[in-house]
Amino acid sequence: DYAMGMIYPTEENPVTIHLTAGTISPSINNEIFPINMYSNINIVGSSEEVTILDAEQTGRVLRMDNCQNNIISGLTITGGIAIAIEETDYEEDGDGGGILLRYSNPRLEQVTIKNNMSHDDGGGMYLYHSDPVLIQVTITHNTADIGGNNNFGGGGMYLWHSDPTISDVTITHNTSYNGGGILLWNSNPILDDVVITYNTAYNGGGGMLLEYSNPTLTDVTISNNTADGSGGGMSVHSNSDPTLIH
């Protein structure tokens, strides 16, 4: 986060921060989380196996507000937690344990988002009016609704008025009250070559839950998901109309 404040990128001259192999965390190098991104900055790790951003449950890992022209690649985002704070006016405080996007459209490629949790929505990622591109991303073992309110969702991802493009992505072993893998609210994403498997919802939509949403799914595998209520694979509500191809 300190490095972000020392550089002055522009759309014509973006800046790339290269991260070597190793873990960046509070205990190892006193990193303070969340890392707050700015427009025109790229973060590129050595690979998702060896470059680790670990918040160690001190806060969410990455936050992007009104950011454009960003690339995040070759790293793992883990150990994040989003806690709702009653004293703040910031509505998404309890959302997005791994990544919170607000009005931001980054490109994520070869990124693993794992073992993050949120008090409210979006254990792995929370998208608010954001249209990122995800390519070769793994979203796994994230948990939403840890506050036990039995009202929140999106263990892996929560989309609010967002239309991301998601390609060659695996969403697996995530847990929430609703939408264990992914929850869509008024969102129309494009999913291509995506695997949604072994996710769990304690209410509805083990793999996916749709509200007022019309996603397009091409070559998408939804299997071995479970829900205690409706729709182990997919739960469709509120005039949602998904398009399934192949």
Side-chain angles (χ1 to χ4, degrees):
D1 209 16
Y2 172 78
M4 301 290 180
M6 301 298 292
I7 54 181
Y8 302 95
T10 64
E11 185 176 356
E12 294 76 20
N13 295 289
V15 171
T16 298
I17 298 173
H18 293 277
L19 302 178
T20 59
T23 298
I24 297 172
S25 69
S27 65
I28 293 176
N29 39 37
N30 299 315
E31 182 62 48
I32 297 173
F33 290 89
I35 296 172
N36 295 298
M37 288 285 289
Y38 300 94
S39 293
N40 308 309
I41 295 177
N42 306 318
I43 298 180
V44 178
S46 298
S47 76
E48 53 199 305
E49 292 79 19
V50 300
T51 302
I52 314 296
L53 299 180
D54 186 353
E56 296 178 337
Q57 284 79 52
T58 60
R60 73 169 52 86
V61 181
L62 193 65
R63 173 176 159 179
M64 302 180 73
D65 272 300
N66 294 288
C67 289
Q68 307 301 326
N69 194 26
N70 302 99
I71 298 173
I72 300 169
S73 68
L75 51 82
T76 287
I77 291 172
T78 190
I81 185 169
I83 298 295
I85 302 172
E86 294 181 359
E87 293 79 8
T88 182
D89 293 329
Y90 190 64
E91 293 181 358
E92 290 79 42
D93 264 324
D95 303 323
I99 300 176
L100 171 64
L101 303 181
R102 300 181 77 251
Y103 305 103
S104 299
N105 308 310
R107 178 185 178 95
L108 277 66
E109 189 165 0
Q110 296 180 350
V111 171
T112 295
I113 302 167
K114 69 176 184 179
N115 297 327
N116 303 283
M117 51 189 170
S118 64
H119 186 276
D120 298 338
D121 295 312
M125 295 185 70
Y126 184 91
L127 280 57
Y128 182 88
H129 293 277
S130 296
D131 306 327
V133 174
L134 279 65
I135 300 174
Q136 295 180 351
V137 171
T138 299
I139 302 173
T140 184
H141 289 94
N142 302 285
T143 305
D145 196 23
I146 63 171
N149 293 314
N150 294 340
N151 191 38
F152 298 109
M157 299 179 70
Y158 189 105
L159 279 56
W160 176 271
H161 294 266
S162 297
D163 305 328
T165 300
I166 303 173
S167 302
D168 194 11
V169 167
T170 298
I171 301 172
T172 184
H173 290 98
N174 302 285
T175 304
S176 184
Y177 184 71
N178 287 308
I182 180 170
L183 192 151
L184 279 57
W185 187 282
N186 215 327
S187 297
N188 306 313
I190 296 173
L191 284 71
D192 184 19
D193 191 20
V194 173
V195 175
I196 302 171
T197 186
Y198 294 107
N199 300 286
T200 301
Y202 297 120
N203 186 38
M208 299 180 69
L209 188 142
L210 279 56
E211 295 275 5
Y212 307 102
S213 297
N214 305 314
T216 300
L217 286 67
T218 303
D219 293 326
V220 172
T221 299
I222 302 175
S223 67
N224 297 303
N225 302 282
T226 59
D228 292 345
S230 63
M234 181 187 294
S235 187
V236 180
H237 303 272
S238 308
N239 297 316
S240 295
D241 186 18
T243 298
L244 281 65
I245 303 172
H246 298 161

